[in-house]
Amino acid sequence: MKNLVIVAIIAAAVALILGIITQLVGHAVLISANAWNNFSQTILLFGICFGIWEYLKCKE
């Protein structure tokens, strides 16, 4: 489960970097900058949820 948290946070960081690059370039790189940033927020939220889930699972 810990690996899932790490993968989600790395994916969020990559999506955020792609969003910044898309904004600097001025045109869409696969998708728009706003979509990259929204995707980054969603994946980061999943990472947080997986971390809380792992914490509660170990606490039982």
Side-chain angles (χ1 to χ4, degrees):
M1 184 62 71
K2 192 174 192 178
N3 293 335
L4 192 59
V5 174
I6 293 170
V7 167
I9 291 175
I10 290 172
V14 169
L16 181 64
I17 290 169
L18 284 172
I20 292 169
I21 290 171
T22 302
Q23 185 69 33
L24 292 175
V25 170
H27 59 82
V29 178
L30 299 176
I31 55 177
S32 68
N34 188 26
W36 279 119
N37 291 332
N38 289 339
F39 180 67
S40 174
Q41 289 177 3
T42 303
I43 296 299
L44 189 58
L45 180 64
F46 280 130
I48 292 169
C49 290
F50 290 142
I52 292 171
W53 185 20
E54 178 183 352
Y55 174 75
L56 293 176
K57 193 174 171 183
C58 292
K59 198 172 182 178
E60 292 179 352

